[in-house]
Amino acid sequence: MKKITIKDIALEAKVSISTVSFVLNDKGEKMNISKAVIKKVQEVAEKLHYRPNMIASSLRTGKTRSIGLIVEDISNQFFSDLARVIEDEAKKLGYRVFYCSTGNDDDRSDELIQSLLQANVDGFIITPTEKLEKSIDHLIKLKKPVVLIDRYFPGQNVSHVVMDNYEGSYSATQFLIKKGRRSIAFVNNTSGMIQMQLREKGYVDAMKEAGLYQESLILHLEYHSNEDAKIAAIVHFFEKNTGIDAVLFSANYMGLAGLQAFRKMDLEIPKDLSVISFDDHYSFRLHTPSISVIEQPIDAIAVKAVGLLMDQMIDGRDFVIEKVLQKGKLLIRESV
Amino acid sequence: MKKITIKDIALEAKVSISTVSFVLNDKGEKMNISKAVIKKVQEVAEKLHYRPNMIASSLRTGKTRSIGLIVEDISNQFFSDLARVIEDEAKKLGYRVFYCSTGNDDDRSDELIQSLLQANVDGFIITPTEKLEKSIDHLIKLKKPVVLIDRYFPGQNVSHVVMDNYEGSYSATQFLIKKGRRSIAFVNNTSGMIQMQLREKGYVDAMKEAGLYQESLILHLEYHSNEDAKIAAIVHFFEKNTGIDAVLFSANYMGLAGLQAFRKMDLEIPKDLSVISFDDHYSFRLHTPSISVIEQPIDAIAVKAVGLLMDQMIDGRDFVIEKVLQKGKLLIRESV
DNA sequence: CTGAAAGCGCTTACAG
DNA sequence: CTGAAAGCGCTTACAG
């Protein structure tokens, strides 16, 4: 089966290849090509089952109609949900999405950016890792459209869309306090990224306002440790700090490790301990009791991020840097 | 920042662009280019931070060094694990992977194949949906390398790598029988794909051999129904067929629906009911009690599939169609 | 041993 | 209203 090119169409329709190209790119009217010719070309293209060669057109135009999506871990449900919505949104606009996971590894993130640059993606949506600020500066210098999601660098002037982490954490903590909980722990990781800092700050402020704050109630888990190590650390922490009656996890994978720790310790939820975690997860719904979460507005984040990226990708438009905060949602289930 | 091309290197190194191309493609020696020139060209390329334009080279060679991976649902852990291993394997060999989900929708699957064809991927790894046989025939006619995973079409001569579904199901059923269970249910979907048929057949044969087979112990869930509908169907089935003392689920999403059904019905696992499911899942390990599974040999499947695909992609090599069965592993946890 | 040139399949400025 | 031609950045058969 021979590849059909615009040359074949031109031959068959007895017009020049430029005419074919104009018609197939819907520029026929603009170029004052006659209705009859337009119709003819379209029919021939249809008849021969013409499929444009995207590689050739990319080489010529320098555009690939693709965007690179770099997330932390595509096998984490939060990110795979995000990716799916972003992909759908992009497809509506005729863009293809290449996605890859950093595993929060800075070197790998940098490599991925290089490789996507080399694949000539037209724009980037990134959940940056800690040391990625330079690489992102680099993209900006290259005038590549970039939107960050889930987190960002406070000093850097780049569009980003994130949840209102401070508010989410603050309200969840207040909710626990109103429920009569007094000794509320906060389990975070050691990454120090802005979204984790804000989640911690929301908790700290709510605790301080209620006069309940104690530094010893905060546990920081090594980010790069495996799940068993996290479970062990949580067990150790709760054995040392008896009397804790509630806990807020700053991400779903910590919450999941926590549930396993509590099972080992035979702690009963919510009698002994109220539990709330950031980010929803299938296992939180299935768990007995089901676990309350601060659900991220995934759809809103994805749609907005694609929108901001498109704004930057439209040639010549003077785009504005936008920094968007989306509200999360406290989903109360049986665990509080 | 200007894009560096081989022309720039040629200019700077004072050689022709062909020489540059040969050197950078490691064909310098073969073309009898002097050591000195090779070194010079490499140094200049390094100095100018040359990055080859993959689009240009693709247009010229017709190869993209990429493979298309079509799975049923990338947000299902079985497929996302599979995808990760395939991606890693492919990367080792210098290939990039584009992945997409069919959602078991035949039209969408066909579309995805078209779109990957248009993106000029060099080969395909596919978990086919029911009506995809024609599309796959089409790929073969185009001489596109294809490997199927997880399932295949019995009459079609295509390389594939799948788990030994019959054996997995047969042993799991036998295990339940040896444990003293007598009224063992089997929950399958309505898709009728070969892997599901074989899982059912393994169960049926084991039951028949033990003289325990009853057709009424098999439930078929509508594939395209949502989770709540599946849960309702399972509840209905178990309310009608009282006395069932064990159940084997033919895929993880059915097992997960089942766990929710049993929770609603206050069935106690494993006292009232032993449970085993195909495919592992995070929630199966976290569940109280933890759920026994027939674990798929994901790494082996992925590695083998990439290997078979590469065999086909090496130009001119007369590749052989291989049909590979990998053994699954029965992981016994608390649910039996 | 190395270079000039054709060509992959498009898009688009230019000419008429 | 439509066509001839240049050029995107490579690879490779051919010439010398």
Side-chain angles (χ1 to χ4, degrees):
Chain A
M1 205 162 109
K2 195 185 162 303
K3 274 257 173 193
I4 302 298
T5 72
I6 52 170
K7 212 168 146 187
D8 300 311
I9 299 178
L11 227 61
E12 176 91 11
K14 297 192 173 39
V15 296
S16 76
I17 56 169
S18 356
T19 304
V20 175
S21 176
F22 288 135
V23 171
L24 297 179
N25 288 304
D26 287 327
K27 289 181 184 162
E29 304 227 346
K30 218 173 74 191
M31 299 310 277
N32 290 321
I33 292 171
S34 68
K35 282 241 159 57
V37 171
I38 292 181
K39 189 145 171 286
K40 179 78 181 290
V41 169
Q42 284 168 339
E43 280 170 2
V44 172
E46 178 85 8
K47 197 183 85 189
L48 301 180
H49 298 107
Y50 171 70
R51 298 273 164 245
N53 181 324
M54 294 170 1
I55 291 175
S57 105
S58 289
L59 179 59
R60 181 57 229 252
T61 61
K63 301 283 173 206
T64 52
R65 292 197 81 76
S66 65
I67 72 186
L69 172 61
I70 301 180
V71 299
E72 182 176 326
D73 174 13
I74 195 75
S75 69
N76 177 319
Q77 207 182 325
F78 168 61
F79 292 107
S80 63
D81 286 348
L82 208 47
R84 212 196 35 238
V85 186
I86 287 176
E87 188 171 8
D88 288 348
E89 276 300 301
K91 197 195 293 175
K92 278 185 212 159
L93 301 164
Y95 279 77
R96 149 185 287 283
V97 176
F98 299 143
Y99 37 103
C100 27
S101 310
T102 64
N104 256 15
D105 175 327
D106 296 310
D107 293 338
R108 183 161 162 70
S109 304
D110 215 21
E111 243 174 54
L112 289 173
I113 289 185
Q114 289 306 325
S115 124
L116 288 168
L117 265 178
Q118 208 171 334
N120 271 296
V121 296
D122 297 331
F124 289 81
I125 297 181
I126 302 177
T127 59
T129 49
E130 270 181 272
K131 301 200 186 73
L132 218 58
E133 193 163 3
K134 299 161 301 301
S135 308
I136 293 175
D137 279 335
H138 181 62
L139 288 179
I140 298 170
K141 222 174 292 162
L142 293 175
K143 301 219 184 303
K144 281 283 176 188
V146 190
V147 173
L148 306 184
I149 48 175
D150 192 49
R151 52 192 91 164
Y152 57 92
F153 299 102
Q156 197 179 43
N157 202 29
V158 184
S159 287
H160 58 250
V161 187
V162 297
M163 182 173 79
D164 190 341
N165 288 294
Y166 178 87
E167 192 277 338
S169 203
Y170 183 86
S171 332
T173 309
Q174 272 203 330
F175 180 90
L176 291 170
I177 294 170
K178 272 193 203 124
K179 272 268 174 178
R181 300 300 179 169
R182 286 292 160 266
S183 187
I184 304 170
F186 186 78
V187 178
N188 201 350
N189 66 22
T190 51
S191 87
M193 285 292 294
I194 184 75
Q195 83 280 18
M196 299 319 247
Q197 282 179 31
L198 288 171
R199 289 174 192 185
E200 188 161 322
K201 191 158 188 320
Y203 156 84
V204 168
D205 287 359
M207 290 294 275
K208 279 187 174 160
E209 276 175 28
L212 297 170
Y213 177 68
Q214 276 182 268
E215 207 183 321
S216 65
L217 287 173
I218 299 180
L219 169 64
H220 287 112
L221 298 172
E222 201 60 52
Y223 177 77
H224 287 282
S225 61
N226 63 26
E227 186 172 46
D228 285 339
K230 290 195 180 82
I231 295 172
I234 294 169
V235 169
H236 180 77
F237 177 79
F238 278 83
E239 278 173 348
K240 206 179 58 189
N241 297 275
T242 53
I244 290 177
D245 55 13
V247 56
L248 181 58
F249 290 99
S250 65
N252 57 12
Y253 62 90
M254 291 183 254
L256 292 167
L259 294 179
Q260 291 178 71
F262 302 151
R263 173 149 73 149
K264 274 195 185 164
M265 300 171 69
D266 281 324
L267 285 174
E268 204 178 315
I269 303 169
K271 194 168 74 66
D272 301 332
L273 194 66
S274 289
V275 176
I276 299 181
S277 176
F278 265 84
D279 311 333
D280 205 354
H281 191 278
Y282 191 92
S283 293
F284 287 154
R285 277 178 283 144
L286 185 63
H287 193 267
T288 314
S290 56
I291 304 299
S292 306
V293 298
I294 300 155
E295 188 189 42
Q296 296 230 30
I298 291 183
D299 285 39
I301 291 177
V303 170
K304 188 71 196 174
V306 172
L308 288 182
L309 193 67
M310 290 297 156
D311 285 351
Q312 295 182 37
M313 297 204 300
I314 308 290
D315 264 340
R317 191 192 293 186
D318 231 21
F319 70 87
V320 182
I321 306 276
E322 270 196 74
K323 304 182 177 183
V324 182
L325 270 189
Q326 305 271 12
K327 269 237 168 103
K329 188 169 155 199
L330 186 57
L331 283 184
I332 296 304
R333 299 199 177 110
E334 302 162 0
S335 68
V336 291
Chain B
M1 205 162 107
K2 192 184 162 309
K3 273 257 171 191
I4 302 298
T5 72
I6 53 171
K7 212 168 147 185
D8 300 311
I9 299 178
L11 228 63
E12 176 90 11
K14 297 191 177 38
V15 295
S16 76
I17 57 168
S18 356
T19 304
V20 175
S21 176
F22 289 135
V23 170
L24 297 180
N25 287 304
D26 286 328
K27 289 181 184 162
E29 304 226 343
K30 218 172 72 190
M31 299 309 278
N32 290 321
I33 293 170
S34 69
K35 282 241 161 54
V37 170
I38 292 181
K39 187 144 171 287
K40 179 78 181 291
V41 169
Q42 285 169 337
E43 280 170 1
V44 172
E46 178 86 6
K47 198 182 85 190
L48 300 181
H49 298 107
Y50 171 70
R51 298 272 164 247
N53 181 324
M54 294 170 359
I55 289 175
S57 103
S58 288
L59 180 59
R60 182 55 229 252
T61 61
K63 302 281 171 206
T64 52
R65 292 196 81 76
S66 64
I67 73 187
L69 172 61
I70 300 181
V71 299
E72 181 176 327
D73 173 12
I74 195 73
S75 71
N76 177 319
Q77 207 182 323
F78 169 62
F79 292 107
S80 64
D81 285 349
L82 207 48
R84 212 196 36 238
V85 186
I86 288 177
E87 187 171 9
D88 288 349
E89 276 299 301
K91 198 198 289 174
K92 278 186 210 157
L93 301 164
Y95 280 77
R96 150 187 287 284
V97 176
F98 298 144
Y99 34 105
C100 27
S101 310
T102 64
N104 257 15
D105 176 328
D106 296 310
D107 292 338
R108 184 163 161 69
S109 303
D110 215 21
E111 243 174 55
L112 288 173
I113 290 186
Q114 288 307 325
S115 125
L116 287 168
L117 266 178
Q118 209 172 335
N120 271 296
V121 296
D122 297 333
F124 288 82
I125 297 181
I126 303 179
T127 60
T129 49
E130 271 181 89
K131 303 202 186 71
L132 218 58
E133 193 163 2
K134 302 161 299 287
S135 309
I136 292 176
D137 279 333
H138 182 63
L139 289 179
I140 298 170
K141 221 173 293 164
L142 293 175
K143 301 219 183 304
K144 281 285 176 186
V146 190
V147 173
L148 306 184
I149 48 175
D150 192 50
R151 53 192 90 162
Y152 57 93
F153 298 102
Q156 197 179 43
N157 202 29
V158 185
S159 288
H160 58 248
V161 186
V162 299
M163 182 173 80
D164 190 342
N165 288 293
Y166 178 87
E167 191 278 337
S169 203
Y170 183 87
S171 333
T173 308
Q174 272 205 329
F175 181 89
L176 290 169
I177 294 169
K178 272 194 202 123
K179 272 269 174 178
R181 300 298 179 170
R182 286 291 164 263
S183 188
I184 304 169
F186 186 77
V187 178
N188 202 350
N189 66 23
T190 51
S191 88
M193 285 291 294
I194 184 76
Q195 82 282 14
M196 300 318 247
Q197 282 179 31
L198 288 171
R199 289 174 192 183
E200 188 161 320
K201 189 157 190 321
Y203 156 83
V204 168
D205 287 359
M207 290 294 275
K208 280 188 175 161
E209 275 175 30
L212 297 170
Y213 177 69
Q214 278 183 266
E215 208 185 322
S216 65
L217 287 172
I218 299 180
L219 168 63
H220 287 112
L221 298 172
E222 200 59 52
Y223 178 77
H224 287 282
S225 61
N226 63 26
E227 187 171 45
D228 285 339
K230 291 196 179 80
I231 295 172
I234 295 170
V235 168
H236 180 76
F237 178 79
F238 277 83
E239 277 174 349
K240 204 179 59 186
N241 297 276
T242 52
I244 291 177
D245 55 13
V247 57
L248 181 57
F249 289 99
S250 65
N252 58 12
Y253 62 90
M254 290 183 256
L256 292 168
L259 294 179
Q260 290 177 71
F262 303 149
R263 173 149 71 148
K264 274 197 185 161
M265 300 172 69
D266 281 324
L267 285 176
E268 204 178 312
I269 303 170
K271 194 167 74 63
D272 302 331
L273 194 66
S274 289
V275 177
I276 299 182
S277 175
F278 266 82
D279 312 333
D280 205 356
H281 191 279
Y282 191 92
S283 293
F284 287 153
R285 278 178 282 144
L286 185 63
H287 193 267
T288 313
S290 55
I291 303 301
S292 306
V293 297
I294 300 156
E295 189 189 41
Q296 298 231 29
I298 290 182
D299 285 39
I301 291 177
V303 170
K304 187 72 195 174
V306 173
L308 289 182
L309 193 68
M310 290 297 156
D311 285 350
Q312 295 182 38
M313 297 202 302
I314 307 291
D315 265 339
R317 191 193 292 186
D318 230 22
F319 69 88
V320 182
I321 306 275
E322 270 197 74
K323 303 180 178 185
V324 182
L325 270 188
Q326 307 271 11
K327 271 238 166 102
K329 191 171 156 196
L330 185 58
L331 283 184
I332 297 303
R333 299 201 177 107
E334 301 161 2
S335 67
V336 291

